[in-house]
Amino acid sequence: MKIDVLGVQAFVAVADHKSFRRAAGELSITQTALSRRLQNLESFLGVRLVERSTRSVALTPPGESFLPQARRLLTDLAAALTEIRETGKARRGDVTIACVPTIGVHYLPQILQRYSADHPQNRVKVLDHSSAAVAQAVLTREAEFGINIAESHPPSLESVPLLQDDFVLICRDDHPLAGHEALPWKALEGHRLIFPGASSNNRPLLDHALAESQLELSAFYEVQRSSTAVGLVAAGAGIAVAPRLAWQAGSYPGLRVVTLHMPTVRRTFSLLSRKGAVLSPAAQALHDLILKHGRQAPAKSRRGGKGG
């Protein structure tokens, strides 16, 4: 059934003002348009609602009976529209998150595309920082939450495990080790090795794991960023130990990823937030999407292979 909202508005305005002129003024329409709306409503209902003479305007008995229902109809409609509008506003907003560079380059883009499709009016600011700076950004409220390498943090912060990322060998297709699907770390001895530098967040984890396995590897090059290591490999400078997330299929077609084991060395990423903090609706939606994606597709399950 078609509901004539404009006709109901016209009827209530006439009933309130007892004047077509004042009712038309309230609705910002002409008296002719007002009369037409009222006539259309009366025609639809099959009854006269208003009696109009040269001197006065009065409601008919059906009009008197219909007036409370008409008011309630308009009030309920206005409340419903307001609720929908405010809900929409609450779901829109800007989001600022912090993350380590590897996450920003190789993990977040696909998630942000999905988020933008679901929330096209929301804007996202990504602060790609070092691990310590990520925690600081969340702590000082510069970011609503962060994605960080799991490590100790201030007691006012809490973390939720997100995904694991294992360390792999990246080498060129023409390198002698390229034909293997997996290799023990000991097989890297004697090769020109590109390794995370001393100030890299990855270095303590690697040093600890290799020391426990009584392995000693000598680095020919040390770099702070995994992207630098991959670039050196592509140029033929050596082979690199890097997190699997540092590898982006298609970027360097001539490179290969080889799984390293004995031992398997992994780093864990976590979602970092302030204890007791309530995220904005926009940030909560992104937080939940990242958490869901991390649980469904952990980095350690992505197998190595040729670029292309």
Side-chain angles (χ1 to χ4, degrees):
M1 183 178 83
K2 181 179 178 181
I3 299 177
D4 186 0
V5 176
L6 295 180
V8 174
Q9 285 181 320
F11 167 67
V12 172
V14 170
D16 287 342
H17 293 284
K18 300 295 191 294
S19 164
F20 273 66
R21 179 179 59 82
R22 290 194 294 270
E26 177 188 317
L27 299 177
S28 299
I29 58 176
T30 65
Q31 292 188 52
T32 301
L34 179 74
S35 297
R36 186 180 304 113
R37 290 183 184 183
L38 185 57
Q39 290 169 3
N40 289 339
L41 177 64
E42 291 176 330
S43 177
F44 175 75
L45 296 175
V47 296
R48 295 274 293 176
L49 299 174
V50 176
E51 291 288 354
R52 180 183 183 184
S53 68
T54 56
R55 294 185 177 181
S56 64
V57 174
L59 300 184
T60 64
E64 292 283 2
S65 176
F66 178 57
L67 182 59
Q69 301 173 57
R71 292 190 193 280
R72 186 165 56 252
L73 173 65
L74 294 180
T75 299
D76 291 347
L77 178 60
L81 294 177
T82 298
E83 181 179 355
I84 292 173
R85 184 170 179 268
E86 293 304 317
T87 300
K89 280 185 177 180
R91 291 176 179 171
R92 294 194 298 268
D94 296 345
V95 185
T96 299
I97 67 172
C99 68
V100 291
T102 301
I103 288 291
V105 174
H106 303 293
Y107 180 73
L108 269 185
Q110 181 182 356
I111 297 174
L112 292 180
Q113 284 183 325
R114 171 69 182 274
Y115 180 76
S116 294
D118 293 340
H119 307 275
Q121 298 186 58
N122 290 4
R123 298 183 300 176
V124 181
K125 182 179 181 180
V126 179
L127 307 176
D128 47 343
H129 289 328
S130 66
S131 183
V134 168
Q136 184 66 16
V138 177
L139 192 62
T140 60
R141 295 178 170 80
E142 183 183 5
E144 289 203 65
F145 66 91
I147 306 176
N148 203 9
I149 298 172
E151 56 187 13
S152 60
H153 50 71
S156 57
L157 298 179
E158 60 183 359
S159 64
V160 177
L162 180 62
L163 77 157
Q164 290 185 317
D165 184 22
D166 50 345
F167 286 86
V168 297
L169 170 67
I170 300 178
C171 60
R172 285 174 38 146
D173 274 344
D174 56 4
H175 193 275
L177 299 180
H180 298 269
E181 290 294 326
L183 285 169
W185 283 81
K186 191 171 180 60
L188 306 184
E189 292 179 347
H191 293 278
R192 279 180 175 258
L193 190 61
I194 304 166
F195 215 70
S199 61
S200 166
N201 291 314
N202 296 321
R203 184 62 176 267
L205 176 62
L206 290 170
D207 286 345
H208 177 74
L210 296 180
E212 280 196 334
S213 299
Q214 299 182 339
L215 292 171
E216 292 186 10
L217 298 176
S218 298
F220 196 87
Y221 296 102
E222 289 191 2
V223 298
Q224 305 313 312
R225 292 189 179 273
S226 300
S227 57
T228 304
V230 175
L232 287 171
V233 174
I239 60 176
V241 170
R244 191 180 293 274
L245 273 178
W247 167 252
Q248 191 171 22
S251 298
Y252 294 95
L255 302 188
R256 182 173 178 82
V257 177
V258 180
T259 298
L260 291 173
H261 61 92
M262 298 176 63
T264 297
V265 186
R266 294 186 176 121
R267 58 181 183 171
T268 300
F269 288 101
S270 60
L271 278 172
L272 195 64
S273 59
R274 297 183 302 279
K275 284 184 178 178
V278 178
L279 299 178
S280 67
Q284 187 67 58
L286 180 56
H287 178 282
D288 293 346
L289 184 61
I290 291 173
L291 188 60
K292 178 180 178 181
H293 185 87
R295 288 172 173 170
Q296 289 179 344
K300 68 178 183 179
S301 69
R302 299 172 186 164
R303 307 308 303 166
K306 292 184 178 181

